[in-house]
Amino acid sequence: MKNRSRHEIFSKILKICTNGASKTRIVYQANLNFRTVSPYLQILIKNNLLEASEGGQILYKTTKEGTNLQETISQVNKALSHE
């Protein structure tokens, strides 16, 4: 498995959280572990790209800014993949 860049991981997390996701779902779908996922979530929340719901189980949801960033990263990756 190739190493992924930070922006690829950020993009994957933002995509997973489009409709809301638990930390467990993020860990499994982004192929991370609980120790490594936390710093990514903190950075995304700090930059208003992701929000955490209050209440029982914490759910993470991508903000409008996060959706815009995720789409931009996808477009760049798509453009660069056509060599």
Side-chain angles (χ1 to χ4, degrees):
M1 185 168 144
K2 75 174 186 109
N3 289 334
R4 297 174 289 172
S5 66
R6 285 175 53 124
H7 76 271
E8 288 174 307
I9 295 170
F10 285 132
S11 177
K12 182 73 172 176
I13 292 171
L14 291 170
K15 188 170 188 168
I16 292 166
C17 295
T18 300
N19 296 314
S22 66
K23 186 182 277 191
T24 302
R25 182 172 168 209
I26 297 165
V27 164
Y28 287 106
Q29 290 189 355
N31 197 24
L32 297 169
N33 65 49
F34 284 97
R35 186 172 41 90
T36 58
V37 75
S38 293
Y40 288 107
L41 295 175
Q42 291 172 358
I43 290 169
L44 290 169
I45 290 169
K46 181 181 173 190
N47 290 291
N48 298 317
L49 301 170
L50 200 64
E51 57 190 16
S53 68
E54 300 295 326
Q57 181 185 20
I58 298 175
L59 291 179
Y60 298 91
K61 183 155 175 41
T62 305
T63 64
K64 183 160 177 52
E65 294 88 357
T67 300
N68 292 339
L69 178 63
Q70 193 276 323
E71 289 171 355
T72 301
I73 292 171
S74 291
Q75 290 172 352
V76 169
N77 287 338
K78 188 176 179 181
L80 293 175
S81 68
H82 295 107
E83 298 177 2

